[in-house]
Amino acid sequence: MRKYFFLFTLICTASFASCGGNDEAETPVTVSISTQPESISAPAEGGVYTINVTTTAQEWGVYTDGDWIKVDTRNTLLKQGSITVTIPANPLTDPRSGSITLMSGAARKTIPVTQAGAEKAAYYAPDGYSLVWNDEFDTGSELNSNDWTHEVQKDHWVNNELQNYVNHKSPDGKLVTEIRDGALRINCFKENGKVYSGRVYAHVSQGWQYGYFEARIKLPKGKGTWPAFWMMPVGNDWSTNPWPKCGEIDIMEEVGCVPNEVSSSVHTQDYNHTKNTQKTHAMTIANAEGAFHTYAMLWTADEIITYVDGKEQLNVKKSVLGSGHDQWPFHYAFYPIFNLAWGGDWGGMNGVDESALPVTMEVDYIRVFQKK
């Protein structure tokens, strides 16, 4: 994924003669860029590197191809500057490659970046699967807007839920989502008589079709809480493919009025909770509220299997449910969702206890793997 760190002013050339206030064509200025070094080769454990930059123009910029390559620039408005490149440890046994591209006027210079694979993978993945995207929530203080989208909706939008979903902050500026201590924190709280919380989508416009999806999550306590890790279809036409016909995959849900019981479900036109025919499975685990646990799903063209701490939870097969769209709509891309609801048809089925507020759902990481 390319990350642009800033924009810089393009130099007027002869094609824009009016820029110089001269009716006569001017000779275009050739811009050159030189760097030292011209490539980076990092070991599996990573490292920090300095690239010295010299350009004949007055300013320059940089972007990366590879979201694992972190850069910090110095003196970009001068002809000489530097880039500090931080390469984190490679979590996988496969080597990886990316690049850093410098821009100055019309000139471009690409610096290849390679990194060796680790002797032992840091991530678990099913055999034959490789990591395609992840967020470890270990940098910055808020979600990366290139990866995440906040839902904005008023209370009672769905399921009679009582929270208001806002983009990052409440009206008084309190955070509903934040990155802190290596985790995504989704906060639910009361402010000026209203309850606010967060609901966020990962890569909402593209998602993934099939794969292994895993997140490590700590659930909040309190009657009224309804945290979830789930998936919905990308770019769905709700007028022709409404819920539940479109499909829904719930990897993990829990309600505070039934503490520590986590469940997984799939919803389709023929199998959904409005008909009491949904395919679901629940299990009680120690300290789901207050401790981190791993929730995962393996999704193929023929089956969906969810896991809690590596133990199988729900297992549904297309050959059992049926191959038609009304039975198995899981044949296009879906995107992951994290949210913390308050009250509603299920979360508030036994009422809510507002003395429990504020509460927080914590996500240590999310990782997406697909077949190589």
Side-chain angles (χ1 to χ4, degrees):
M1 179 179 300
R2 292 183 173 182
K3 297 183 177 178
Y4 288 87
F5 291 85
F6 58 85
L7 297 176
F8 58 92
T9 305
L10 296 176
I11 299 174
C12 293
T13 63
S15 61
F16 292 89
S18 60
C19 291
N22 191 333
D23 292 336
E24 296 182 2
E26 298 177 0
T27 302
V29 176
T30 300
V31 177
S32 64
I33 307 171
S34 61
T35 64
Q36 182 63 37
E38 295 193 339
S39 65
I40 294 175
S41 180
E45 58 269 26
V48 179
Y49 304 84
T50 299
I51 300 174
N52 294 312
V53 180
T54 301
T55 174
T56 57
Q58 190 60 42
E59 53 187 343
W60 53 276
V62 62
Y63 63 83
T64 67
D65 183 7
D67 58 9
W68 49 277
I69 305 171
K70 313 298 181 184
V71 299
D72 183 24
T73 56
R74 301 287 178 88
N75 297 328
T76 59
L77 297 180
L78 300 178
K79 293 183 178 181
Q80 291 186 326
S82 64
I83 308 170
T84 300
V85 183
T86 302
I87 307 296
N90 189 344
L92 302 176
T93 56
D94 293 333
R96 56 185 177 179
S97 60
S99 62
I100 300 169
T101 300
L102 285 88
M103 309 171 290
S104 186
R108 301 289 185 271
K109 182 178 179 64
T110 298
I111 300 171
V113 180
T114 59
Q115 186 177 25
E119 290 187 10
K120 182 178 180 181
Y123 302 153
Y124 164 77
D127 290 342
Y129 284 72
S130 60
L131 186 71
V132 294
W133 177 77
N134 66 313
D135 199 332
E136 304 296 312
F137 306 117
D138 54 3
T139 60
S141 60
E142 55 187 75
L143 288 171
N144 184 340
S145 60
N146 292 323
D147 296 329
W148 296 94
T149 303
H150 285 78
E151 182 64 81
V152 178
Q153 294 289 347
K154 293 183 178 180
D155 60 277
H156 294 83
W157 169 51
V158 290
N159 304 319
N160 294 309
E161 296 165 16
L162 304 178
Q163 79 289 331
N164 293 265
Y165 286 130
V166 291
N167 184 4
H168 188 53
K169 294 180 180 180
S170 69
D172 282 355
K174 193 172 181 180
L175 299 175
V176 295
T177 60
E178 59 181 326
I179 306 299
R180 196 204 313 171
D181 300 327
L184 164 64
R185 298 170 64 89
I186 301 179
N187 303 314
C188 180
F189 50 86
K190 194 168 186 179
E191 175 183 286
N192 298 324
K194 294 184 178 181
V195 176
Y196 294 93
S197 190
R199 172 166 161 160
V200 292
Y201 306 145
H203 287 256
V204 65
S205 62
Q206 64 183 64
W208 294 271
Q209 183 177 352
Y210 311 136
Y212 177 75
F213 303 78
E214 181 180 285
R216 187 168 178 261
I217 305 171
K218 181 193 294 186
L219 304 180
K221 299 178 181 180
K223 188 170 70 171
T225 57
W226 185 356
F229 169 33
W230 53 301
M231 300 184 71
M232 288 293 286
V234 171
N236 187 55
D237 185 343
W238 300 105
S239 63
T240 60
N241 196 35
W243 188 95
K245 188 180 184 71
C246 64
E248 175 182 326
I249 305 171
D250 300 324
I251 302 172
M252 184 284 303
E253 291 183 282
E254 190 252 13
V255 290
C257 59
V258 188
N260 300 311
E261 182 181 272
V262 295
S263 67
S264 295
S265 307
V266 296
H267 299 279
T268 73
Q269 182 68 22
D270 286 355
Y271 303 100
N272 64 81
H273 72 265
T274 65
K275 298 178 179 179
N276 201 30
T277 57
Q278 80 274 12
K279 298 302 177 181
T280 189
H281 185 273
M283 68 168 71
T284 299
I285 59 174
N287 300 317
E289 297 180 348
F292 281 104
H293 294 270
T294 301
Y295 304 94
M297 174 186 66
L298 180 62
W299 170 29
T300 70
D302 300 309
E303 66 181 350
I304 292 173
I305 306 172
T306 66
Y307 303 87
V308 179
D309 293 332
K311 181 179 179 180
E312 186 174 303
Q313 164 89 301
L314 176 69
N315 187 323
V316 291
K317 300 181 185 300
K318 182 167 66 173
S319 60
V320 176
L321 269 62
S323 59
H325 183 76
D326 286 354
Q327 299 84 41
W328 191 267
F330 310 113
H331 49 77
Y332 35 57
F334 279 59
Y335 58 89
I337 305 170
F338 292 120
N339 73 286
L340 176 52
W342 180 250
D345 296 336
W346 190 21
M349 63 182 179
N350 294 327
V352 300
D353 178 11
E354 289 196 350
S355 69
L357 296 174
V359 292
T360 298
M361 170 185 180
E362 296 184 55
V363 184
D364 182 30
Y365 63 77
I366 179 173
R367 298 168 185 161
V368 179
F369 302 79
Q370 289 188 309
K371 280 191 174 182
K372 298 179 182 178

